[in-house]
Amino acid sequence: SMMEIYAQKEGVLDRIENVDELESDPAVSNITYMAKKGDKVGPAKFNHERCIKFLIKEKTYKKAYDKSLHYQKVLKVLLG
């Protein structure tokens, strides 16, 4: 399952909170940071680029789905 995380509001990226958990998860691979500190970010509906994308591989669809919901909650795009 490919995940893409966008900022909820328009602004300037300060950091993405809890990426340490993401980076240490063996089910997660291909992490690509699309935005860096100081970049203008915002929601997809305003044609902004995603802030981070990554792949989740689990043994079942349910596990992958649950993990995607988890990361949607814990990965917080913080604006400066």
Side-chain angles (χ1 to χ4, degrees), residues 22-39:
L22 182 75
E23 292 173 344
S24 65
D25 188 335
V28 174
S29 64
N30 297 17
I31 301 170
T32 305
Y33 295 91
M34 308 300 290
K36 62 185 183 309
K37 184 174 182 162
D39 286 352

Side-chain angles (χ1 to χ4, degrees), residues 6 8 42-48:
Y6 290 81
Q8 296 294 313
K45 67 182 178 182
F46 297 132
N47 295 320
H48 285 280

Side-chain angles (χ1 to χ4, degrees), residues 54-66:
F54 53 93
L55 184 64
I56 297 174
K57 288 185 186 176
E58 285 287 359
K59 293 186 186 235
T60 66
Y61 173 80
K62 171 90 169 93
K63 285 183 181 182
Y65 178 74
D66 289 346

